[in-house]
Structure formats: structure tokens, C-alpha cells
Amino acid sequence: MSDAAQTLTVVIPLRVKPRGGRKAMLTPGLLALERRQDITLIKAVARAFRWRRMLESGRFATINELAAAEKINSSYVSRVLRLTLLAPDIVEAILDGRQAEGMTLPGLMKPFSEHWGDQRPMR
């Protein structure tokens, strides 16, 4: 090799996308997954499991106490808490961005069967 400086150029295809007031760089392999992730659904599921943990640990004795502490309506808390009754594979699909087309939070807030087998059409 010679003593002359050598340059190596690496090209990585990226896409810059606004995400929550900041810019995120997405690689081509992640673009399809990113489009399917529903942040609203993910936050609701995470919130539901957090609230359930708070109730089960005894931090709050009732849904009304929890709702007052979170400064939101107890009816909303009750409806969101139902998301903890979703089948584990449906929760995993939501978190991975693989949920069924058309699955939305308002749709999940409606009553659904607590039996996991009956929930499969939602997936």
C-alpha cells in the first residue's frame, strides 16, 4: 500500500421522518414495521398493565382512587383496564406493530369477550 490517503465511502439509505416533534432516521428494513406501529394502541396497552399493577399491589384500592390520582375519568380507566384481558398474542402483535388492519383504540375500548379463543378474529 502507498502512503497516500485513501477514502472509503459508505452509503446507507435512510429516510428522515418527523416523530413526536423530533426527527427519526429509518432504514429501509424498518419502514414497513414503522408504518404499522400504532403508538396510541401501544401506549394504551402499556398504561392498562401499569394501572393493573398499581391496583394489584395495593397502591390504590379502587379504580376511582386510581382515576383521581391520574386526573382522568374512572370510566376511561375501566375501559382501558379491559385491555389487560386481551390474549397475550394479541398484546404482542400490538407491541410489535403486527396488529390486524383496522384495529384501533376506539374499537378495542368496546366490550369484547374475555375468552382468548373468541378474540382471535380481532387479530
Side-chain angles (χ1 to χ4, degrees):
M1 258 213 230
S2 69
D3 292 333
Q6 295 182 354
T7 303
L8 175 65
T9 303
V10 178
V11 177
I12 302 173
L14 294 175
R15 182 172 150 209
V16 178
K17 182 176 182 179
R19 176 84 48 175
R22 60 185 172 81
K23 293 180 180 158
M25 290 186 287
L26 305 174
T27 61
L30 295 175
L31 294 178
L33 178 61
E34 286 292 321
R35 257 184 252 126
R36 295 281 325 267
Q37 286 183 322
D38 186 335
I39 301 303
T40 304
L41 275 178
I42 293 171
K43 283 182 179 180
V45 167
R47 188 175 282 162
F49 280 94
R50 179 177 154 259
W51 289 344
R52 186 177 86 179
R53 230 181 11 257
M54 294 167 100
L55 289 167
E56 289 175 345
S57 71
R59 184 168 172 193
F60 297 102
T62 66
I63 289 174
N64 289 335
E65 285 181 20
L66 173 61
E70 295 282 321
K71 296 183 174 84
I72 53 179
N73 187 298
S74 61
S75 172
Y76 177 76
V77 172
S78 296
R79 287 181 283 136
V80 171
L81 276 170
R82 277 195 303 240
L83 298 178
T84 63
L85 301 176
L86 286 171
D89 59 316
I90 295 175
V91 172
E92 188 176 318
I94 290 169
L95 297 177
D96 290 344
R98 296 180 290 107
Q99 72 275 3
E101 284 291 327
M103 183 181 282
T104 63
L105 183 57
L108 285 178
M109 298 289 270
K110 296 176 183 172
F112 56 83
S113 174
E114 61 193 46
H115 300 288
W116 293 347
D118 297 338
Q119 295 175 8
R120 292 304 183 268
M122 292 188 335
R123 189 166 183 256

